[in-house]
Amino acid sequence: MRTLRFGIIGAGWPGQQHAKAIAAIPGTELRACSDTNDERLQAFRHEFSPMTTFAEYHELLADGEIDAVIICLPNFLHFPASLAALEAGKHVLCEKPPTLNAAEMKVLRDAAAKRNLVYFFGRQFRFAPALRTAREIISEGKLGTIYRARATWVRSRGIPPGVDSWFTDKKRSGGGALIDIGVHALDSAWFLMGTPRPVSISAKVFRNFAHFVNAPVFNVEDEAHAFIRFANGSIIELETSWAANLTDDTPVGPEWVGRESNNCVLFGTKATLRLRPFTLFEDQNGKLVTVPLQSEYTDNSFEMQLRNFADAIRGDAAPINNAEQAFQLMEMIDGIYASSELGREVPVA
Ligand SMILES: NC(=O)c1ccc[n+]([C@@H]2O[C@H](COP(=O)([O-])OP(=O)(O)OC[C@H]3O[C@@H](n4cnc5c(N)ncnc54)[C@H](O)[C@@H]3O)[C@@H](O)[C@H]2O)c1
């Protein structure tokens, strides 16, 4: 098995998780890291010992020894860095959200296909133990037909600071709570439903709590709600917030987020499945029975994700977080913002 050499671009928390995954997966090696913030770069070098380091990501892309890059930059750099990497002949794993919009993602999808390179979007939760077990339960037919999902990631006081406050500046983030954490909740539900084709969206986003943080620019939403229809007749109801005056049925999370719930409930004709607490609510001869679930998997989700990315590069597996799904995910994000702006339901292009 040939060793695959990786470059990590962006040395923050996600970059560090990917570096740990590279260290844990046989046949992968951390060749280089790039970050314009020298303090972060040196701390990363100290902990993970990449062979080389660079400030700007363009310098890293010129390293001909690198097979693939993992992009962990602020959202507005996902598109230019992914495209430059593909043009330099590198396979790409880019953190969520894949891009700022579907038009950008379409360019990346086509560029990767044209060059026969793997494009993979970072969504480690698809590989998390409960989601893997949920997929198996669903494929055994235990839920019957899934006709509805409730996707939630809400926080009461969890507006992310980010380096230079980029999260709250639409030009650099593409949006607020929706594109930051809502995208995770939406993708988990959509993935468990088998990624049906989205057809229309009705949504409303809000900005009510900008005064909670001291950000120079705050022109994004802190809360979003959407109702998404799919071609197979199913729906997703999405609820997400960085900040809201949540009620006490939302559990208390880490100190900086206040109350928090990151959950997904899938309603089926035979049973309903909830991720947290992991439970099946099953019809047994007309009686609704509660069945506590446990995943037998213990693997780290970043490691499982990297394993699939590496296998896809070697041609041994299909990429689970593929470019077409990244495109459709961004179509849904675009649709949510468009519907809110127009004040009506919109078709998904
Ligand atoms: N998968 C997850 O669970 C998860 C969690 C957190 C963040 N993310 C995503 O990861 C990305 C980064 O988030 P973050 O919280 O680490 O942000 P951050 O602002 O903390 O880190 C971004 C890093 O990029 C560096 N950078 C900026 N421009 C650069 C350039 N031209 N070349 C090289 N480095 C450059 C910055 O110096 C900074 O260290 C975001 O897109 C975010 O959505 C994903």
Side-chain angles (χ1 to χ4, degrees), residues 9-14 34-37 40 55-57 72-75 77-78 95-97 122 124-125 162-163 166-167 180 184 302:
I9 302 175
W13 183 85
S34 137
D35 198 301
T36 43
N37 179 325
R40 271 203 174 176
E56 267 293 336
Y57 71 80
C72 308
L73 294 170
N75 299 353
L77 293 171
H78 289 187
E95 266 304 334
K96 48 57 63 172
Q124 77 277 8
F125 288 115
V163 172
W166 66 265
F167 278 97
D180 180 36
H184 273 302
F302 277 93

Side-chain angles (χ1 to χ4, degrees), residues 66-231:
I66 292 174
D67 299 294
V69 294
I70 301 181
I71 297 169
C72 308
L73 294 170
N75 299 353
F76 74 106
L77 293 171
H78 289 187
F79 173 69
S82 296
L83 187 60
L86 292 169
E87 285 172 346
K90 317 290 186 204
H91 303 280
V92 169
L93 188 163
C94 180
E95 266 304 334
K96 48 57 63 172
T99 47
L100 295 183
N101 53 54
E104 288 183 351
M105 193 50 234
K106 189 165 189 277
V107 173
L108 296 184
R109 181 192 67 187
D110 297 348
K114 194 172 132 199
R115 291 171 179 80
N116 218 6
L117 292 165
V118 176
Y119 172 88
F120 195 104
F121 66 107
R123 262 286 298 149
Q124 77 277 8
F125 288 115
R126 284 187 173 202
F127 299 85
L131 259 87
R132 288 174 68 198
T133 299
R135 289 265 287 174
E136 288 167 8
I137 290 169
I138 291 163
S139 67
E140 286 162 13
K142 281 205 172 151
L143 268 60
T145 302
I146 302 171
Y147 57 90
R148 165 165 95 96
R150 198 163 60 213
T152 317
W153 194 337
V154 289
R155 295 177 184 157
S156 65
R157 297 291 185 272
I159 301 172
V163 172
D164 299 334
S165 299
W166 66 265
F167 278 97
T168 55
D169 175 3
K170 186 147 179 106
K171 263 207 325 272
R172 292 184 288 163
S173 59
L178 172 66
I179 206 164
D180 180 36
I181 53 177
V183 71
H184 273 302
L186 172 58
D187 184 66
S188 290
W190 185 53
F191 178 61
L192 288 172
M193 291 167 89
T195 63
R197 177 90 187 105
V199 291
S200 69
I201 295 177
S202 183
K204 176 87 175 95
V205 308
F206 299 92
R207 180 168 63 250
N208 291 316
F209 302 103
H211 56 279
F212 283 171
V213 289
N214 188 18
V217 184
F218 199 128
N219 55 2
V220 296
E221 79 287 352
D222 47 36
E223 182 162 347
H225 298 264
F227 182 95
I228 307 173
R229 294 175 198 268
F230 295 92

